[in-house]
Amino acid sequence: MSKLHFSGTTKECLYHYAENFLPRKGARNSSEAKIPMARFVGVIPETIVSWTSDRNKPLGGPLLKLRFFLETVGYDVVELRGLRGSVNYMLAEMLAYGLLTSEQAVEQLDFNDGHSVYRIAHGNSNTSSDRAAKIREMHEERSTALQKAKSQLLKDLGMSQEEQAVATTTVAHHEQEVVDDESMTSLAYFVLAITPLLEKAVTNTTREQ
């Protein structure tokens, strides 16, 4: 698999992946080529075909896993881009890589049900500060396991160590861009906040002179 430089919605990234990396239906090794994605997402290869032919669409847990599969192999998935760095993303990542089940999330994070878990994970809802702190703690505890899971997925796809490093760096770069954007936003708010104070100080100094 070569380097990827593609940004789009989940659907656009999936279609691009299918067109460039999956053999067409009926071609030799067509089903086998879909096994890594199908195994990671938790569906059969025929389900991948139904998604790429627009006969069906992924929802809930499979949709979450599909997005992280695409991101891990190098895609800039729009729906995940807006969540990077947030507790929503951290929860979603743990669920996608099988390091936390929805049942465990309900029990350990005091959710009402699995539906509530996925609403947070998909970024459709926010959560309390106490639960957010717990999610960060759980994510930190699983950081090493997450890296191993990503490396294993890339290995299953037959990517070389060099390509794995590129894919991992791509995700890290995306996450750093989010941090940089947040820093610039904070700086802008700070400047706006102190501007009136600076103007007042300048005015007072001028009067004293």
Side-chain angles (χ1 to χ4, degrees):
M1 182 179 293
S2 58
K3 296 181 183 179
L4 293 172
H5 300 282
F6 189 93
S7 176
T9 64
T10 304
K11 183 175 182 178
E12 290 168 342
C13 292
L14 174 61
Y15 283 11
H16 183 274
Y17 182 84
E19 183 177 347
N20 290 276
F21 302 109
L22 295 180
R24 296 189 180 279
K25 186 177 180 179
R28 179 180 293 183
N29 299 327
S30 175
S31 295
E32 289 82 354
K34 299 179 182 69
I35 289 177
M37 174 185 279
R39 183 186 294 126
F40 180 83
V41 177
V43 298
I44 58 176
E46 286 73 16
T47 300
I48 304 297
V49 175
S50 72
W51 291 346
T52 56
S53 60
D54 224 14
R55 297 199 309 269
N56 203 348
K57 62 180 181 179
L59 299 169
L63 174 58
L64 201 66
K65 287 175 175 288
L66 175 62
R67 286 173 176 166
F68 276 92
F69 175 93
L70 293 168
E71 182 182 72
T72 300
V73 300
Y75 286 93
D76 177 25
V77 184
V78 170
E79 293 89 345
L80 289 182
R81 184 197 305 160
L83 296 179
R84 292 187 191 114
S86 70
V87 293
N88 306 71
Y89 183 94
M90 294 176 188
L91 176 61
E93 190 173 39
M94 291 187 289
L95 291 167
Y97 281 96
L99 300 178
L100 182 72
T101 66
S102 59
E103 292 79 13
Q104 290 172 332
V106 168
E107 180 181 351
Q108 298 177 31
L109 295 168
D110 196 29
F111 281 107
N112 292 327
D113 50 38
H115 178 70
S116 301
V117 173
Y118 283 108
R119 278 189 59 81
I120 302 293
H122 281 292
N124 297 324
S125 182
N126 294 319
T127 190
S128 67
S129 58
D130 289 343
R131 183 182 288 142
K134 179 63 176 176
I135 291 173
R136 289 191 184 93
E137 179 184 340
M138 295 168 69
H139 188 268
E140 178 63 27
E141 292 171 350
R142 292 164 172 78
S143 59
T144 301
L146 279 168
Q147 290 305 315
K148 288 182 178 179
K150 292 176 184 179
S151 296
Q152 184 59 52
L153 172 58
L154 296 174
K155 184 177 180 180
D156 290 344
L157 287 165
M159 296 180 73
S160 66
Q161 290 186 343
E162 179 182 352
E163 289 174 324
Q164 290 181 35
V166 169
T168 303
T169 302
T170 299
V171 175
H173 177 67
H174 290 161
E175 293 175 348
Q176 183 59 47
E177 285 180 337
V178 173
V179 173
D180 291 342
D181 288 344
E182 291 177 347
S183 298
M184 290 302 295
T185 300
S186 299
L187 177 60
Y189 279 123
F190 175 72
V191 171
L192 289 172
I194 67 171
T195 296
L197 297 176
L198 292 174
E199 291 176 345
K200 184 176 181 181
V202 172
T203 302
N204 291 338
T205 302
T206 303
R207 287 175 179 173
E208 290 174 359
Q209 292 176 347

